[in-house]
mmCIF file of all heavy atoms in Angstrom:
data_model
loop_
_atom_site.group_PDB
_atom_site.id
_atom_site.type_symbol
_atom_site.label_atom_id
_atom_site.label_comp_id
_atom_site.label_asym_id
_atom_site.label_seq_id
_atom_site.Cartn_x
_atom_site.Cartn_y
_atom_site.Cartn_z
ATOM 1 N N GLY A 6 5.345 0.089 2.897
ATOM 2 C CA GLY A 6 4.431 1.075 2.336
ATOM 3 C C GLY A 6 3.029 0.558 2.157
ATOM 4 O O GLY A 6 2.727 -0.611 2.404
ATOM 5 N N TYR A 7 2.179 1.467 1.712
ATOM 6 C CA TYR A 7 0.772 1.173 1.466
ATOM 7 C C TYR A 7 0.498 1.177 -0.028
ATOM 8 O O TYR A 7 0.773 2.167 -0.717
ATOM 9 C CB TYR A 7 -0.112 2.210 2.152
ATOM 10 C CG TYR A 7 0.037 2.223 3.658
ATOM 11 C CD1 TYR A 7 0.689 3.268 4.306
ATOM 12 C CD2 TYR A 7 -0.475 1.191 4.431
ATOM 13 C CE1 TYR A 7 0.817 3.290 5.685
ATOM 14 C CE2 TYR A 7 -0.352 1.191 5.816
ATOM 15 C CZ TYR A 7 0.300 2.238 6.432
ATOM 16 O OH TYR A 7 0.433 2.248 7.804
ATOM 17 N N VAL A 8 -0.045 0.084 -0.526
ATOM 18 C CA VAL A 8 -0.426 -0.038 -1.928
ATOM 19 C C VAL A 8 -1.813 -0.694 -1.972
ATOM 20 O O VAL A 8 -1.925 -1.912 -1.766
ATOM 21 C CB VAL A 8 0.576 -0.873 -2.739
ATOM 22 C CG1 VAL A 8 0.142 -0.944 -4.212
ATOM 23 C CG2 VAL A 8 1.987 -0.289 -2.633
ATOM 24 N N PRO A 9 -2.864 0.059 -2.207
ATOM 25 C CA PRO A 9 -4.216 -0.501 -2.245
ATOM 26 C C PRO A 9 -4.485 -1.196 -3.578
ATOM 27 O O PRO A 9 -5.058 -0.609 -4.503
ATOM 28 C CB PRO A 9 -5.108 0.722 -2.047
ATOM 29 C CG PRO A 9 -4.314 1.853 -2.615
ATOM 30 C CD PRO A 9 -2.862 1.528 -2.356
ATOM 31 N N MET A 10 -4.066 -2.430 -3.688
ATOM 32 C CA MET A 10 -4.109 -3.168 -4.962
ATOM 33 C C MET A 10 -5.474 -3.091 -5.642
ATOM 34 O O MET A 10 -5.570 -2.963 -6.858
ATOM 35 C CB MET A 10 -3.758 -4.643 -4.721
ATOM 36 C CG MET A 10 -2.443 -4.885 -4.027
ATOM 37 S SD MET A 10 -1.047 -4.773 -5.157
ATOM 38 C CE MET A 10 0.285 -5.251 -4.044
ATOM 39 N N ASN A 11 -6.538 -3.204 -4.859
ATOM 40 C CA ASN A 11 -7.873 -3.358 -5.429
ATOM 41 C C ASN A 11 -8.378 -2.132 -6.168
ATOM 42 O O ASN A 11 -9.313 -2.244 -6.975
ATOM 43 C CB ASN A 11 -8.875 -3.724 -4.330
ATOM 44 C CG ASN A 11 -8.953 -2.661 -3.250
ATOM 45 O OD1 ASN A 11 -7.961 -2.367 -2.590
ATOM 46 N ND2 ASN A 11 -10.125 -2.081 -3.047
ATOM 47 N N ILE A 12 -7.804 -0.945 -5.931
ATOM 48 C CA ILE A 12 -8.315 0.233 -6.619
ATOM 49 C C ILE A 12 -7.492 0.605 -7.850
ATOM 50 O O ILE A 12 -7.824 1.572 -8.531
ATOM 51 C CB ILE A 12 -8.434 1.438 -5.665
ATOM 52 C CG1 ILE A 12 -7.066 1.873 -5.141
ATOM 53 C CG2 ILE A 12 -9.375 1.122 -4.509
ATOM 54 C CD1 ILE A 12 -7.137 3.145 -4.325
ATOM 55 N N PHE A 13 -6.458 -0.176 -8.153
ATOM 56 C CA PHE A 13 -5.724 0.012 -9.401
ATOM 57 C C PHE A 13 -6.431 -0.751 -10.519
ATOM 58 O O PHE A 13 -7.153 -1.720 -10.251
ATOM 59 C CB PHE A 13 -4.284 -0.494 -9.250
ATOM 60 C CG PHE A 13 -3.392 0.429 -8.465
ATOM 61 C CD1 PHE A 13 -3.360 0.371 -7.078
ATOM 62 C CD2 PHE A 13 -2.600 1.362 -9.104
ATOM 63 C CE1 PHE A 13 -2.556 1.217 -6.344
ATOM 64 C CE2 PHE A 13 -1.780 2.220 -8.391
ATOM 65 C CZ PHE A 13 -1.768 2.153 -7.005
ATOM 66 N N PRO A 14 -6.224 -0.332 -11.767
ATOM 67 C CA PRO A 14 -6.829 -1.076 -12.875
ATOM 68 C C PRO A 14 -6.446 -2.551 -12.820
ATOM 69 O O PRO A 14 -5.310 -2.897 -12.488
ATOM 70 C CB PRO A 14 -6.237 -0.386 -14.108
ATOM 71 C CG PRO A 14 -5.898 0.999 -13.657
ATOM 72 C CD PRO A 14 -5.468 0.855 -12.231
ATOM 73 N N ARG A 15 -7.399 -3.410 -13.138
ATOM 74 C CA ARG A 15 -7.185 -4.844 -13.008
ATOM 75 C C ARG A 15 -5.990 -5.326 -13.824
ATOM 76 O O ARG A 15 -5.275 -6.238 -13.414
ATOM 77 C CB ARG A 15 -8.453 -5.593 -13.430
ATOM 78 C CG ARG A 15 -8.424 -7.080 -13.136
ATOM 79 C CD ARG A 15 -9.783 -7.712 -13.365
ATOM 80 N NE ARG A 15 -10.773 -7.204 -12.434
ATOM 81 C CZ ARG A 15 -10.970 -7.707 -11.220
ATOM 82 N NH1 ARG A 15 -10.239 -8.722 -10.792
ATOM 83 N NH2 ARG A 15 -11.901 -7.206 -10.434
ATOM 84 N N GLU A 16 -5.753 -4.678 -14.970
ATOM 85 C CA GLU A 16 -4.683 -5.160 -15.844
ATOM 86 C C GLU A 16 -3.288 -4.924 -15.273
ATOM 87 O O GLU A 16 -2.323 -5.586 -15.693
ATOM 88 C CB GLU A 16 -4.791 -4.518 -17.231
ATOM 89 C CG GLU A 16 -4.647 -3.006 -17.279
ATOM 90 C CD GLU A 16 -5.975 -2.280 -17.134
ATOM 91 O OE1 GLU A 16 -6.953 -2.910 -16.652
ATOM 92 O OE2 GLU A 16 -6.043 -1.099 -17.518
ATOM 93 N N VAL A 17 -3.123 -3.994 -14.333
ATOM 94 C CA VAL A 17 -1.805 -3.751 -13.734
ATOM 95 C C VAL A 17 -1.633 -4.438 -12.386
ATOM 96 O O VAL A 17 -0.531 -4.442 -11.836
ATOM 97 C CB VAL A 17 -1.507 -2.243 -13.600
ATOM 98 C CG1 VAL A 17 -1.619 -1.537 -14.949
ATOM 99 C CG2 VAL A 17 -2.412 -1.585 -12.564
ATOM 100 N N GLN A 18 -2.684 -4.998 -11.845
ATOM 101 C CA GLN A 18 -2.593 -5.621 -10.528
ATOM 102 C C GLN A 18 -1.569 -6.753 -10.453
ATOM 103 O O GLN A 18 -0.841 -6.860 -9.458
ATOM 104 C CB GLN A 18 -3.979 -6.086 -10.075
ATOM 105 C CG GLN A 18 -4.910 -4.938 -9.743
ATOM 106 C CD GLN A 18 -6.289 -5.392 -9.292
ATOM 107 O OE1 GLN A 18 -6.509 -6.572 -8.989
ATOM 108 N NE2 GLN A 18 -7.238 -4.466 -9.254
ATOM 109 N N PRO A 19 -1.449 -7.613 -11.490
ATOM 110 C CA PRO A 19 -0.412 -8.650 -11.416
ATOM 111 C C PRO A 19 0.997 -8.084 -11.284
ATOM 112 O O PRO A 19 1.836 -8.644 -10.565
ATOM 113 C CB PRO A 19 -0.593 -9.422 -12.728
ATOM 114 C CG PRO A 19 -2.026 -9.225 -13.087
ATOM 115 C CD PRO A 19 -2.337 -7.813 -12.666
ATOM 116 N N ASP A 20 1.276 -6.961 -11.963
ATOM 117 C CA ASP A 20 2.602 -6.351 -11.858
ATOM 118 C C ASP A 20 2.828 -5.754 -10.467
ATOM 119 O O ASP A 20 3.946 -5.789 -9.941
ATOM 120 C CB ASP A 20 2.774 -5.267 -12.927
ATOM 121 C CG ASP A 20 2.841 -5.845 -14.326
ATOM 122 O OD1 ASP A 20 3.408 -6.938 -14.489
ATOM 123 O OD2 ASP A 20 2.319 -5.208 -15.256
ATOM 124 N N LEU A 21 1.784 -5.215 -9.863
ATOM 125 C CA LEU A 21 1.910 -4.701 -8.502
ATOM 126 C C LEU A 21 2.172 -5.840 -7.520
ATOM 127 O O LEU A 21 3.033 -5.732 -6.641
ATOM 128 C CB LEU A 21 0.631 -3.964 -8.102
ATOM 129 C CG LEU A 21 0.399 -2.590 -8.740
ATOM 130 C CD1 LEU A 21 -1.000 -2.089 -8.422
ATOM 131 C CD2 LEU A 21 1.445 -1.585 -8.271
ATOM 132 N N VAL A 22 1.450 -6.937 -7.683
ATOM 133 C CA VAL A 22 1.651 -8.090 -6.804
ATOM 134 C C VAL A 22 3.068 -8.629 -6.954
ATOM 135 O O VAL A 22 3.718 -9.007 -5.973
ATOM 136 C CB VAL A 22 0.610 -9.178 -7.108
ATOM 137 C CG1 VAL A 22 0.937 -10.466 -6.351
ATOM 138 C CG2 VAL A 22 -0.785 -8.689 -6.735
ATOM 139 N N ALA A 23 3.572 -8.648 -8.176
ATOM 140 C CA ALA A 23 4.928 -9.149 -8.421
ATOM 141 C C ALA A 23 5.985 -8.310 -7.730
ATOM 142 O O ALA A 23 7.077 -8.812 -7.397
ATOM 143 C CB ALA A 23 5.202 -9.202 -9.923
ATOM 144 N N ALA A 24 5.682 -7.027 -7.475
ATOM 145 C CA ALA A 24 6.657 -6.139 -6.832
ATOM 146 C C ALA A 24 6.698 -6.309 -5.318
ATOM 147 O O ALA A 24 7.679 -5.907 -4.682
ATOM 148 C CB ALA A 24 6.332 -4.679 -7.169
ATOM 149 N N VAL A 25 5.681 -6.911 -4.730
ATOM 150 C CA VAL A 25 5.575 -6.991 -3.267
ATOM 151 C C VAL A 25 6.812 -7.593 -2.594
ATOM 152 O O VAL A 25 7.301 -7.054 -1.591
ATOM 153 C CB VAL A 25 4.298 -7.754 -2.863
ATOM 154 C CG1 VAL A 25 4.311 -8.088 -1.373
ATOM 155 C CG2 VAL A 25 3.057 -6.933 -3.195
ATOM 156 N N PRO A 26 7.380 -8.712 -3.105
ATOM 157 C CA PRO A 26 8.535 -9.302 -2.410
ATOM 158 C C PRO A 26 9.782 -8.427 -2.373
ATOM 159 O O PRO A 26 10.706 -8.704 -1.603
ATOM 160 C CB PRO A 26 8.804 -10.585 -3.206
ATOM 161 C CG PRO A 26 7.513 -10.896 -3.898
ATOM 162 C CD PRO A 26 6.930 -9.560 -4.212
ATOM 163 N N GLU A 27 9.804 -7.360 -3.177
ATOM 164 C CA GLU A 27 10.980 -6.489 -3.206
ATOM 165 C C GLU A 27 11.025 -5.529 -2.016
ATOM 166 O O GLU A 27 12.040 -4.861 -1.804
ATOM 167 C CB GLU A 27 11.007 -5.696 -4.510
ATOM 168 C CG GLU A 27 11.083 -6.583 -5.755
ATOM 169 C CD GLU A 27 11.071 -5.765 -7.036
ATOM 170 O OE1 GLU A 27 11.614 -4.630 -7.015
ATOM 171 O OE2 GLU A 27 10.529 -6.250 -8.032
ATOM 172 N N PHE A 28 9.938 -5.460 -1.247
ATOM 173 C CA PHE A 28 9.844 -4.516 -0.146
ATOM 174 C C PHE A 28 9.827 -5.254 1.190
ATOM 175 O O PHE A 28 9.576 -6.454 1.251
ATOM 176 C CB PHE A 28 8.575 -3.666 -0.287
ATOM 177 C CG PHE A 28 8.549 -2.842 -1.539
ATOM 178 C CD1 PHE A 28 7.926 -3.303 -2.690
ATOM 179 C CD2 PHE A 28 9.183 -1.618 -1.585
ATOM 180 C CE1 PHE A 28 7.911 -2.560 -3.844
ATOM 181 C CE2 PHE A 28 9.185 -0.850 -2.735
ATOM 182 C CZ PHE A 28 8.554 -1.324 -3.874
ATOM 183 N N LEU A 29 10.083 -4.509 2.240
ATOM 184 C CA LEU A 29 10.020 -5.112 3.570
ATOM 185 C C LEU A 29 8.595 -5.515 3.917
ATOM 186 O O LEU A 29 8.341 -6.606 4.443
ATOM 187 C CB LEU A 29 10.546 -4.126 4.609
ATOM 188 C CG LEU A 29 10.622 -4.625 6.050
ATOM 189 C CD1 LEU A 29 11.587 -5.806 6.168
ATOM 190 C CD2 LEU A 29 11.057 -3.488 6.983
ATOM 191 N N ARG A 30 7.636 -4.628 3.593
ATOM 192 C CA ARG A 30 6.240 -4.913 3.902
ATOM 193 C C ARG A 30 5.328 -4.024 3.067
ATOM 194 O O ARG A 30 5.589 -2.842 2.891
ATOM 195 C CB ARG A 30 5.971 -4.677 5.395
ATOM 196 C CG ARG A 30 4.584 -5.035 5.844
ATOM 197 C CD ARG A 30 4.483 -5.095 7.355
ATOM 198 N NE ARG A 30 4.942 -3.861 7.990
ATOM 199 C CZ ARG A 30 4.736 -3.577 9.272
ATOM 200 N NH1 ARG A 30 4.139 -4.448 10.060
ATOM 201 N NH2 ARG A 30 5.180 -2.434 9.776
ATOM 202 N N ILE A 31 4.234 -4.599 2.541
ATOM 203 C CA ILE A 31 3.227 -3.860 1.806
ATOM 204 C C ILE A 31 1.878 -4.107 2.477
ATOM 205 O O ILE A 31 1.490 -5.264 2.686
ATOM 206 C CB ILE A 31 3.168 -4.283 0.330
ATOM 207 C CG1 ILE A 31 4.479 -3.963 -0.381
ATOM 208 C CG2 ILE A 31 1.990 -3.611 -0.384
ATOM 209 C CD1 ILE A 31 4.803 -2.487 -0.490
ATOM 210 N N LEU A 32 1.174 -3.033 2.803
ATOM 211 C CA LEU A 32 -0.101 -3.128 3.505
ATOM 212 C C LEU A 32 -1.157 -2.273 2.804
ATOM 213 O O LEU A 32 -0.861 -1.493 1.892
ATOM 214 C CB LEU A 32 0.046 -2.657 4.952
ATOM 215 C CG LEU A 32 1.040 -3.396 5.848
ATOM 216 C CD1 LEU A 32 1.150 -2.688 7.193
ATOM 217 C CD2 LEU A 32 0.628 -4.836 6.037
ATOM 218 N N ASN A 33 -2.393 -2.398 3.267
ATOM 219 C CA ASN A 33 -3.508 -1.567 2.808
ATOM 220 C C ASN A 33 -4.496 -1.464 3.958
ATOM 221 O O ASN A 33 -5.105 -2.460 4.348
ATOM 222 C CB ASN A 33 -4.176 -2.200 1.580
ATOM 223 C CG ASN A 33 -5.416 -1.441 1.135
ATOM 224 O OD1 ASN A 33 -5.653 -0.304 1.541
ATOM 225 N ND2 ASN A 33 -6.230 -2.080 0.306
ATOM 226 N N LEU A 34 -4.643 -0.272 4.529
ATOM 227 C CA LEU A 34 -5.529 -0.074 5.669
ATOM 228 C C LEU A 34 -6.940 0.323 5.269
ATOM 229 O O LEU A 34 -7.804 0.450 6.126
ATOM 230 C CB LEU A 34 -4.960 1.000 6.601
ATOM 231 C CG LEU A 34 -3.581 0.736 7.202
ATOM 232 C CD1 LEU A 34 -3.189 1.876 8.137
ATOM 233 C CD2 LEU A 34 -3.541 -0.596 7.929
ATOM 234 N N ARG A 35 -7.178 0.554 3.984
ATOM 235 C CA ARG A 35 -8.467 1.049 3.497
ATOM 236 C C ARG A 35 -8.825 2.375 4.162
ATOM 237 O O ARG A 35 -10.004 2.678 4.379
ATOM 238 C CB ARG A 35 -9.586 0.030 3.755
ATOM 239 C CG ARG A 35 -9.385 -1.332 3.133
ATOM 240 C CD ARG A 35 -10.569 -2.241 3.452
ATOM 241 N NE ARG A 35 -11.796 -1.708 2.862
ATOM 242 C CZ ARG A 35 -12.294 -2.090 1.694
ATOM 243 N NH1 ARG A 35 -11.673 -3.011 0.972
ATOM 244 N NH2 ARG A 35 -13.406 -1.563 1.242
ATOM 245 N N CYS A 36 -7.820 3.182 4.456
ATOM 246 C CA CYS A 36 -8.076 4.429 5.183
ATOM 247 C C CYS A 36 -6.900 5.379 5.011
ATOM 248 O O CYS A 36 -5.839 5.180 5.607
ATOM 249 C CB CYS A 36 -8.309 4.139 6.664
ATOM 250 S SG CYS A 36 -8.655 5.600 7.647
ATOM 251 N N ALA A 37 -7.093 6.431 4.208
ATOM 252 C CA ALA A 37 -6.009 7.381 3.951
ATOM 253 C C ALA A 37 -5.596 8.120 5.215
ATOM 254 O O ALA A 37 -4.424 8.458 5.379
ATOM 255 C CB ALA A 37 -6.431 8.376 2.871
ATOM 256 N N VAL A 38 -6.539 8.388 6.126
ATOM 257 C CA VAL A 38 -6.196 9.067 7.372
ATOM 258 C C VAL A 38 -5.043 8.353 8.064
ATOM 259 O O VAL A 38 -4.011 8.956 8.396
ATOM 260 C CB VAL A 38 -7.410 9.123 8.335
ATOM 261 C CG1 VAL A 38 -6.945 9.447 9.757
ATOM 262 C CG2 VAL A 38 -8.397 10.189 7.900
ATOM 263 N N HIS A 39 -5.202 7.071 8.295
ATOM 264 C CA HIS A 39 -4.201 6.349 9.078
ATOM 265 C C HIS A 39 -2.958 6.013 8.258
ATOM 266 O O HIS A 39 -1.857 5.918 8.820
ATOM 267 C CB HIS A 39 -4.827 5.113 9.702
ATOM 268 C CG HIS A 39 -5.711 5.448 10.857
ATOM 269 N ND1 HIS A 39 -5.217 5.772 12.100
ATOM 270 C CD2 HIS A 39 -7.060 5.566 10.946
ATOM 271 C CE1 HIS A 39 -6.221 6.052 12.916
ATOM 272 N NE2 HIS A 39 -7.351 5.941 12.239
ATOM 273 N N GLU A 40 -3.098 5.856 6.957
ATOM 274 C CA GLU A 40 -1.912 5.618 6.137
ATOM 275 C C GLU A 40 -1.014 6.848 6.126
ATOM 276 O O GLU A 40 0.206 6.743 6.348
ATOM 277 C CB GLU A 40 -2.340 5.205 4.729
ATOM 278 C CG GLU A 40 -2.998 3.837 4.713
ATOM 279 C CD GLU A 40 -3.444 3.377 3.355
ATOM 280 O OE1 GLU A 40 -3.357 4.150 2.373
ATOM 281 O OE2 GLU A 40 -3.884 2.215 3.255
ATOM 282 N N TYR A 41 -1.584 8.022 5.882
ATOM 283 C CA TYR A 41 -0.766 9.243 5.891
ATOM 284 C C TYR A 41 -0.254 9.582 7.292
ATOM 285 O O TYR A 41 0.858 10.100 7.443
ATOM 286 C CB TYR A 41 -1.555 10.417 5.315
ATOM 287 C CG TYR A 41 -1.590 10.438 3.800
ATOM 288 C CD1 TYR A 41 -2.789 10.346 3.110
ATOM 289 C CD2 TYR A 41 -0.413 10.557 3.061
ATOM 290 C CE1 TYR A 41 -2.829 10.370 1.725
ATOM 291 C CE2 TYR A 41 -0.439 10.584 1.676
ATOM 292 C CZ TYR A 41 -1.647 10.490 1.007
ATOM 293 O OH TYR A 41 -1.675 10.515 -0.358
ATOM 294 N N ARG A 42 -1.039 9.282 8.310
ATOM 295 C CA ARG A 42 -0.552 9.503 9.671
ATOM 296 C C ARG A 42 0.711 8.679 9.935
ATOM 297 O O ARG A 42 1.681 9.168 10.522
ATOM 298 C CB ARG A 42 -1.643 9.121 10.687
ATOM 299 C CG ARG A 42 -2.745 10.157 10.855
ATOM 300 C CD ARG A 42 -3.900 9.603 11.709
ATOM 301 N NE ARG A 42 -3.439 9.250 13.026
ATOM 302 C CZ ARG A 42 -3.507 10.039 14.102
ATOM 303 N NH1 ARG A 42 -4.052 11.241 13.994
ATOM 304 N NH2 ARG A 42 -3.068 9.635 15.281
ATOM 305 N N MET A 43 0.711 7.442 9.495
ATOM 306 C CA MET A 43 1.856 6.572 9.723
ATOM 307 C C MET A 43 3.087 7.040 8.939
ATOM 308 O O MET A 43 4.213 7.012 9.446
ATOM 309 C CB MET A 43 1.490 5.137 9.344
ATOM 310 C CG MET A 43 0.472 4.493 10.265
ATOM 311 S SD MET A 43 1.141 4.132 11.903
ATOM 312 C CE MET A 43 2.065 2.636 11.543
ATOM 313 N N VAL A 44 2.881 7.484 7.699
ATOM 314 C CA VAL A 44 4.016 7.962 6.893
ATOM 315 C C VAL A 44 4.565 9.266 7.475
ATOM 316 O O VAL A 44 5.782 9.454 7.564
ATOM 317 C CB VAL A 44 3.608 8.132 5.419
ATOM 318 C CG1 VAL A 44 4.748 8.767 4.608
ATOM 319 C CG2 VAL A 44 3.229 6.778 4.815
ATOM 320 N N ALA A 45 3.696 10.169 7.890
ATOM 321 C CA ALA A 45 4.147 11.444 8.442
ATOM 322 C C ALA A 45 4.951 11.260 9.731
ATOM 323 O O ALA A 45 5.850 12.040 10.025
ATOM 324 C CB ALA A 45 2.959 12.357 8.707
ATOM 325 N N GLN A 46 4.641 10.206 10.479
ATOM 326 C CA GLN A 46 5.357 9.941 11.726
ATOM 327 C C GLN A 46 6.625 9.130 11.513
ATOM 328 O O GLN A 46 7.368 8.888 12.476
ATOM 329 C CB GLN A 46 4.445 9.196 12.704
ATOM 330 C CG GLN A 46 3.273 10.018 13.196
ATOM 331 C CD GLN A 46 2.341 9.220 14.080
ATOM 332 O OE1 GLN A 46 2.483 9.200 15.303
ATOM 333 N NE2 GLN A 46 1.386 8.543 13.466
ATOM 334 N N GLY A 47 6.873 8.698 10.286
ATOM 335 C CA GLY A 47 8.060 7.908 10.006
ATOM 336 C C GLY A 47 7.908 6.439 10.341
ATOM 337 O O GLY A 47 8.888 5.683 10.283
ATOM 338 N N HIS A 48 6.703 5.993 10.665
ATOM 339 C CA HIS A 48 6.474 4.587 10.994
ATOM 340 C C HIS A 48 6.359 3.722 9.735
ATOM 341 O O HIS A 48 6.612 2.514 9.781
ATOM 342 C CB HIS A 48 5.209 4.431 11.829
ATOM 343 C CG HIS A 48 5.224 5.192 13.115
ATOM 344 N ND1 HIS A 48 6.366 5.356 13.877
ATOM 345 C CD2 HIS A 48 4.234 5.841 13.789
ATOM 346 C CE1 HIS A 48 6.086 6.056 14.950
ATOM 347 N NE2 HIS A 48 4.815 6.368 14.916
ATOM 348 N N MET A 49 5.918 4.322 8.639
ATOM 349 C CA MET A 49 5.884 3.677 7.327
ATOM 350 C C MET A 49 6.583 4.617 6.355
ATOM 351 O O MET A 49 6.736 5.809 6.623
ATOM 352 C CB MET A 49 4.451 3.397 6.894
ATOM 353 C CG MET A 49 3.738 2.360 7.758
ATOM 354 S SD MET A 49 4.335 0.659 7.518
ATOM 355 C CE MET A 49 3.453 0.210 6.010
ATOM 356 N N ASP A 50 7.001 4.072 5.215
ATOM 357 C CA ASP A 50 7.919 4.813 4.350
ATOM 358 C C ASP A 50 7.291 5.416 3.107
ATOM 359 O O ASP A 50 7.833 6.365 2.549
ATOM 360 C CB ASP A 50 9.064 3.887 3.927
ATOM 361 C CG ASP A 50 9.725 3.228 5.123
ATOM 362 O OD1 ASP A 50 10.200 3.970 6.003
ATOM 363 O OD2 ASP A 50 9.741 1.977 5.200
#
């Protein structure tokens, strides 16, 4: 999935980072167009 860490409040970022190993892959494309395109096509979850 896509999780744009940098735009979440700084105080919750450590908890988001701690969750990363629980997933197959976490990315951030800095672009909602391509993130939603990938999810709609089933390429990302």
Side-chain angles (χ1 to χ4, degrees):
Y7 298 108
V8 181
M10 305 280 185
N11 60 300
I12 64 174
F13 284 85
R15 189 171 295 274
E16 62 270 18
V17 304
Q18 290 180 13
D20 291 324
L21 287 171
V22 171
V25 169
E27 299 179 33
F28 298 94
L29 183 62
R30 184 167 54 168
I31 297 295
L32 300 174
N33 175 15
L34 300 182
R35 302 180 63 96
C36 181
V38 163
H39 285 283
E40 292 180 354
Y41 280 119
R42 282 171 61 95
M43 292 290 282
V44 174
Q46 293 176 92
H48 301 324
M49 294 288 280
D50 307 303

